Amino acid sequence: MLLYIHVPFCRSKCRYCAFASGPFSTEAMHCYVHLLIREMIFWKERIAPRQIETIYFGGGTPSLVAAADLARILDAIFSLFDVHSDAEITLEGNPESANDPAYLQALYSLGVNRLSLGVQSLNPRHLAMLGRIHSPEQAIQTVTRAREAGFQNISLDCIWGIPGQRPDDWFKQIEQFTALHPEHLSCYGLSVEPGTPLERDVDQRLLILPTQDDQARMFLEGTALLTSYGYHQYEISNYALKGYQSQHNSGYWEGREYLGLGPSAVSTVDHKRWQNPLTLTAYETAVHQKTLDGHPQELDPTDLRNEHIMLSLRTSKGLDLRAYEQTYGIPFLGTYQNLIEALHQNNLAHIKEGSLCLTPQGMLVSNSIIADFMDTPTSSKTQ
Ligand code: SF4
């Protein structure tokens, strides 16, 4: 099982962000850690005897959790749950709060063995446009200090498709990111989320996004560039040196069970899915009233099958045709024959070693391809 811990605080709100996070204070964080531990106690018996294979602190800004509080959380996890001795333990950090050498050393000593840094860009103009509060120098220094603290598995989050960015700017960014020698890179196309200041500026044409053609070049040529540096694209937005794929995220894409702690966190256990209350206040009430398992959604076979298709097609391994048939008792190729032929003819997907995989061009339009698989009723897919 995968364990996700949401940290719902940030120093300030980035202009593109629609994640669940509120303003940080030491006191609020301290109370929150207490709630998290109570939530763990709530789940202890309910998820036994599952073993935790990965632990992931995401947010928000997990690097705002003080070392002493992180020690309390990890102590609780290890004493309440059965944790695999080689568990991957990732903490997301932002350069402005994960920059202190003593803090980084404390994280490492506490057993955090993977650091995922929200660098986003090494261009000061782009960082300002995104509303990030760190500088490129701080980001570079944080990577150096993390190495000095002992981290041998560092991932950088990077954003492409920023207003005003040209393909060559992105390729230059890739050169700068790879010069820091991270083991892993997550490269996301900037998404304009409803209700964000970024959306308002784009709507008012104060900011102009790169053209579709430029975005396609950033994705396709950027991937080729990263590949030339030894980073294998193992999922649409994720690239890793050999042996450094994120075990936690790979677990999601493989359809493993996961428990999410904290407000807005989603869990999937025993073919049931639920989401914790979205706000901190509602979450606090649910923890106190022990109503966190209130309304789970039963995942029916169609949901599970659709999700399997969607998650597999995002990965470079693709969808294992034999495993699909064994799991659901229906042949994938026979069911989706016309769709697959059309994808193949348009160089959007191919069959490789018994799996259906999207080509780079297919990954570029993966959302619409996946929607095609979801939209067509199963009974009419071969007609
Ligand atoms: S640091 Fe991350 S979670 Fe926090 S506001 Fe920025 S993008 Fe959102």
Side-chain angles (χ1 to χ4, degrees), residues 214-247:
D214 277 355
Q215 292 195 38
R217 282 192 61 201
M218 288 186 213
F219 178 75
L220 295 172
E221 294 178 38
T223 293
L225 188 56
L226 284 162
T227 305
S228 75
Y229 283 115
Y231 293 90
H232 171 59
Q233 183 186 30
Y234 68 102
E235 194 266 352
I236 289 175
S237 307
N238 285 280
Y239 305 80
L241 297 181
K242 197 168 180 332
Y244 287 97
Q245 298 185 3
S246 160
Q247 291 173 34

Side-chain angles (χ1 to χ4, degrees), residues 10 12-14 16-17 19 21 59-61 94 132:
C10 289
S12 73
K13 198 76 184 165
C14 302
Y16 59 95
C17 179
F19 292 126
S21 74
T61 308
N94 280 340
R132 303 292 300 189

Side-chain angles (χ1 to χ4, degrees), residues 73-85:
I73 299 172
L74 285 167
D75 275 354
I77 293 172
F78 279 87
S79 62
L80 292 166
F81 302 125
D82 174 17
V83 182
H84 194 284
S85 55

